[in-house]
Amino acid sequence: MSIRPVRHQSTAVPHLEGAGVHLKRAFGFDDPSLTDPFLLFDDFRNSEPENYIKGFPWHPHRGIETITYVLAGTVDHGDSLGNTGILGAGDVQWMTAGSGIMHQEMPKGDANGRMHGFQLWANLPSSMKMTAPRYQDVTAADIPVEIDDDGTAARIICGEFWGKRGPVDGIAAEPSYVDISVPPGKRKTFKVDAYRSAFAYIFAGSGSFRDASRPFGVLVEKEVEGEEIQIRDMSGDRTLVVFDTGDEITVQAGDEGIRFLLVSGKPIREPVAWHGPIVMNSRAELIQAVTELQNGTFIKPSH
């Protein structure tokens, strides 16, 4: 067995998206080879409704899959095919945009005004860019939760993990998407297919991964005895960890425990031509998509 070293680590950065949604972006619109087949990852966590209520009005997608995972609040969604629905806490929507779809996502807070969720974009190989759009809406009750003897819990959204398989299937990159909680002070090792790209996104607690130079945390300025100093906030909040090759990862949970998403998938290793929510393989394909948006032929008839 070989432990995957940490290839890259960073903290999600503030970003404004949609009609004015304040979120944190862990990666996106940079070098896609670092996280291939995954293109973008956003953390939309907020307790102020004015910072998210305008949502993500009608917009197109082509050539990718979007994965929305809600932790708090709800997301109302609708699309050009007439599909509508509401994602609640713990629910997942895995949308294969394929040849093209117009859709909107409108977040609403819980009783205390809190909204929290994640959106991940996964690329499609050239052979599947123009497939028919497909939805998989999964309720929290349908997602298996496995709890190990030491209290480590895993919600298995997609792929196989600890002998259980998540309810989302038929995805091009054959990804694994697991929400993992490790209790305070516990050290835990998880198997990851050696041929897959893998990353962890820490969103609660603190901890360190094997071969990390230091525990993960956010560098912040604090005032101590009247002086501004920089300290490392050990919340581990919104930290992205991209792993190098190997077939397992090891994490040491801090004093508060640690909760993170562990995501892996088969690299596609194809050219990426990117224009907002449209991701193709060439500039010519992008131009065609934009032309179709303008002349009303973007949405393909279903067969």
Side-chain angles (χ1 to χ4, degrees), residues 111-294:
N112 296 313
R114 296 173 305 178
M115 176 70 223
H116 191 193
F118 306 107
Q119 187 164 91
L120 174 68
W121 291 8
N123 201 4
L124 282 170
S126 56
S127 61
M128 295 185 65
K129 290 284 190 191
M130 297 299 286
T131 54
R134 176 190 181 208
Y135 277 96
Q136 295 183 69
D137 284 328
V138 179
T139 64
D142 292 330
I143 299 173
V145 178
E146 289 292 297
I147 301 176
D148 209 357
D149 293 342
D150 64 359
T152 297
R155 297 192 79 225
I156 307 158
I157 294 165
C158 184
E160 190 165 324
F161 192 84
W162 285 356
K164 296 285 186 178
R165 179 162 288 279
V168 178
D169 64 4
I171 306 301
E174 297 179 11
S176 173
Y177 191 121
V178 188
D179 177 352
I180 297 174
S181 299
V182 181
K186 298 293 183 182
R187 183 180 179 89
K188 201 72 179 171
T189 296
F190 305 98
K191 293 185 184 303
V192 179
D193 189 309
Y195 298 101
R196 294 168 182 261
S197 299
F199 71 86
Y201 182 74
I202 305 166
F203 61 95
S206 66
S208 62
F209 287 89
R210 175 76 175 270
D211 291 331
S213 57
R214 59 185 180 274
F216 294 101
V218 183
L219 204 60
V220 296
E221 290 194 347
K222 292 276 180 84
E223 186 172 305
V224 178
E225 295 181 353
E227 289 191 24
E228 291 286 334
I229 63 168
Q230 282 199 329
I231 65 169
R232 190 156 294 279
D233 173 10
M234 287 309 299
S235 65
D237 204 10
R238 301 185 176 98
T239 302
L240 171 73
V241 183
V242 180
F243 299 103
D244 216 324
T245 54
D247 54 15
E248 56 185 30
I249 68 161
T250 294
V251 63
Q252 173 67 53
D255 293 341
E256 311 88 9
I258 188 170
R259 187 175 179 188
F260 60 96
L261 302 178
L262 180 60
V263 181
S264 65
K266 290 194 306 184
I268 294 173
R269 297 191 177 96
E270 291 181 352
V272 174
W274 197 335
H275 180 72
I278 299 171
V279 184
M280 304 302 288
N281 296 106
S282 69
R283 177 173 168 77
E285 289 171 324
L286 284 184
I287 293 172
Q288 179 184 346
V290 172
T291 300
E292 291 177 357
L293 273 172
Q294 293 169 341

Side-chain angles (χ1 to χ4, degrees), residues 51-87:
N51 288 336
Y52 61 75
I53 203 68
K54 292 180 180 178
F56 307 91
W58 293 101
H59 58 281
H61 282 293
R62 174 178 284 182
I64 62 172
E65 300 181 289
T66 66
I67 302 98
T68 306
Y69 177 28
V70 177
L71 291 183
T74 61
V75 176
D76 293 10
H77 66 87
D79 70 21
S80 52
L81 303 177
N83 297 305
T84 60
I86 299 174
L87 297 177

